């Protein structure tokens, strides 16, 4: 999902710079994506894995506690 956020962020940053001249939008989006990456990394480190995203063999994951 992080790759989709990065792709959308690049698109929004380029459009904001081209159309509105907001040169600062791209770094702001990058900081937001970095924050999301840190959050996802912490969740993965703790073992909070979504059952829909989990690799095959992770049968013990409780779907009720998954993804909010």
């Amino acid at each position: 999902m992080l790759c989709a956020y990065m792709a959308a962020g690049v698109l929004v940053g380029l459009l904001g710079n081209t159309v509105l001249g907001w040169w600062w939008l791209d770094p702001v989006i990058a900081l937001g994506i970095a924050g999301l990456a840190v959050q996802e990394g912490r969740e993965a480190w703790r073992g909070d894995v979504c059952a829909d995203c989990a690799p095959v063999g992770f049968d013990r994951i409780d779907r009720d506690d998954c993804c909010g």
Side-chain angles (χ1 to χ4, degrees):
M1 194 66 175
L2 196 59
C3 292
Y5 292 144
M6 289 191 309
V10 167
L11 180 63
V12 170
L14 286 173
L15 286 174
N17 191 12
T18 302
V19 175
L20 302 171
W22 291 351
W23 58 267
W24 49 265
L25 186 59
D26 192 39
V28 169
I29 292 172
L31 288 173
I33 292 172
L36 287 173
V38 168
Q39 179 183 359
E40 286 189 14
R42 286 182 179 170
E43 289 174 359
W45 188 264
R46 287 190 303 245
D48 299 338
V49 180
C50 182
D52 296 332
C53 311
V56 177
F58 281 85
D59 296 331
R60 296 179 157 229
I61 296 173
D62 188 5
R63 287 186 182 268
D64 294 336
D65 296 333
C66 179
C67 298

